[in-house]
Amino acid sequence: MRRDMCADVKMEEGYMRMSIEFNNDESRNKISDAISITEKEMKIYPSVIRRNLDEHSGNFSVEFGTEEMNGRDSGDFCEAVMKKLGINNCSI
């Protein structure tokens, strides 16, 4: 079975990406909603890509580049999404 509600963060100079995996439709919808709500609350609109691995599983990638915002805003955004999803930690 694929991982569910697991977050992974990758950072380089001027770039940050958080990926969150899902393995069912309910989790996919929760992740999508958490990202949308956080965008509206913070007025920050990163690049968001959803990748399906099969009918029910895949991941969302939330990507920030230097032209979009500073590192603190992207970190705050990721923390807010994770909090909404009940994810307490992630791999870096």
Side-chain angles (χ1 to χ4, degrees), residues 13-77:
E13 187 174 328
Y15 177 79
M16 179 179 181
R17 179 181 72 212
M18 175 179 68
S19 297
I20 306 172
E21 297 179 38
F22 60 88
N23 67 12
N24 60 71
D25 295 340
E26 181 181 351
S27 292
R28 177 180 47 221
N29 293 336
K30 284 181 180 180
I31 296 166
S32 180
D33 291 345
I35 292 169
S36 294
I37 290 167
T38 305
E39 286 175 330
K40 290 175 186 169
E41 289 174 350
M42 297 183 74
K43 297 188 182 358
I44 296 173
Y45 304 97
S47 297
V48 179
I49 301 165
R50 187 185 85 201
R51 293 180 185 93
N52 285 342
L53 300 174
D54 60 34
E55 186 178 351
H56 301 287
S57 66
N59 65 64
F60 282 83
S61 290
V62 180
E63 301 180 2
F64 300 89
T66 54
E67 66 279 350
E68 292 151 337
M69 68 198 58
N70 68 48
R72 183 68 192 156
D73 290 338
S74 58
D76 289 346
F77 186 95

